[in-house]
């Protein structure tokens, strides 16, 4: 993966000034994560303090600056956290080893979301769950066209983020039955709406 050190250094600041909706959505995302948990695209580890019931969190992050910051943050987590450099499209784990997988604003930036979703399905146990908090393409045709228009520049500035993707479709295509709802994320932004949901293997 291409390195994005400026974006990585700005991420913690962005999370500190995030609206209350963002923080509540992340709390709900990981609140029920239990057993052995995989978090893909863990960024700088801003979700680590929110884990309560996990036996172990394995956090995979490809961007080197973010991974270093996540490693430091893991030391203060209330549950054991292991940070690894890795790629969601080629996870270095055997089949069926995780009880819960967390995907938080990550399927927008992987080069091949369908491949990443298939990897999540592979490493998840048959009765496990994938919990996701992702932004999706707007239902408004006009807003969707705007997302298409700005995508090349947006992706360069925002570490590969695509504002016009459909991660729910990628999860369904990988064999998950998904339930989700749209959630508020505060002020207007090109990366909205967001969805918060759960997927289970079919």
């Amino acid at each position: 993966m291409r390195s994005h050190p400026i974006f990585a250094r700005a991420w913690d600041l962005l999370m500190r000034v995030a609206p209350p909706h963002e923080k509540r959505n992340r709390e709900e995302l990981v609140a029920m994560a239990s057993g052995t948990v995989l978090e893909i695209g863990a960024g700088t580890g801003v979700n680590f303090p929110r884990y309560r019931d996990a036996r172990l969190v394995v956090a995979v992050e490809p961007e080197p600056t973010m991974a270093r910051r996540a490693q430091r943050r893991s030391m203060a987590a209330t549950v054991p956290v292991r940070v690894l450099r890795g790629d969601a499209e080629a996870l270095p784990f055997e089949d069926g080893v995780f009880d819960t997988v967390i995907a938080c604003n990550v399927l927008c930036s992987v080069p091949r979301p369908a491949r990443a979703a298939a990897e999540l399905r592979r490493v998840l146990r048959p009765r496990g769950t994938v919990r996701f908090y992702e932004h999706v393409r707007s239902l408004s045709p006009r807003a969707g066209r705007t997302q298409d228009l700005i995508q090349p520049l947006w992706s360069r500035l925002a570490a590969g983020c695509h504002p016009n993707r459909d991660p729910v479709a990628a999860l369904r295509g990988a064999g998950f039955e998904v339930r989700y709802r749209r959630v508020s994320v505060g002020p207007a932004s090109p990366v909205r709406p967001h969805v918060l949901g759960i997927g289970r293997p079919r």
Side-chain angles (χ1 to χ4, degrees):
M1 175 186 175
R2 179 184 170 189
S3 179
H4 299 276
I6 296 175
F7 182 84
R9 293 186 181 100
W11 185 248
D12 283 335
L13 175 60
L14 291 173
M15 289 295 98
R16 279 198 296 272
V17 300
H21 304 89
E22 173 74 14
K23 296 171 184 178
R24 286 197 297 268
N25 293 338
R26 286 174 176 265
E27 291 281 353
E28 183 176 344
L29 173 71
V30 304
M32 302 299 292
S34 60
T36 304
V37 177
L38 169 67
E39 182 175 346
I40 62 165
T44 62
V46 295
N47 286 332
F48 295 168
R50 298 178 166 94
Y51 286 99
R52 296 289 181 269
D53 297 325
R55 182 168 59 249
L56 170 68
V57 175
V58 179
V60 173
E61 171 54 49
E63 207 288 324
T65 305
M66 284 193 165
R68 287 194 296 271
R69 289 173 175 244
Q71 181 62 50
R72 292 195 294 268
R73 189 165 272 134
S74 72
M75 304 302 177
T78 57
V79 301
V81 177
R82 181 184 176 198
V83 178
L84 302 175
R85 289 280 307 281
D87 182 349
E89 296 181 18
L91 293 169
F93 310 114
E94 296 182 358
D95 296 355
V97 294
F98 293 100
D99 300 293
T100 309
V101 173
I102 299 292
C104 183
N105 288 330
V106 63
L107 293 177
C108 64
S109 60
V110 295
R112 297 176 295 176
R115 175 61 184 164
E119 278 289 89
L120 303 190
R121 176 67 180 83
R122 180 183 67 79
V123 301
L124 192 64
R125 289 179 176 143
R127 297 189 179 217
T129 58
V130 56
R131 304 179 66 84
F132 58 92
Y133 174 48
E134 298 280 349
H135 60 82
V136 298
R137 182 183 175 87
S138 175
L139 292 177
S140 161
R142 183 175 182 179
R145 287 193 297 271
T146 299
Q147 290 173 327
D148 293 339
L149 183 64
I150 69 170
Q151 182 269 311
L153 177 60
W154 186 269
S155 293
R156 285 197 294 273
L157 296 175
C161 172
H162 291 66
N164 53 351
R165 280 189 175 169
D166 186 354
V168 173
L171 291 169
R172 284 177 171 151
F176 288 102
E177 181 176 342
V178 298
R179 293 186 296 107
Y180 66 92
R181 73 179 194 279
R182 294 178 183 272
V183 293
S184 175
V185 291
S189 164
V191 288
R192 62 182 304 165
H194 279 60
V195 293
L196 186 61
I198 298 175
R200 291 185 171 86
R202 288 197 290 265

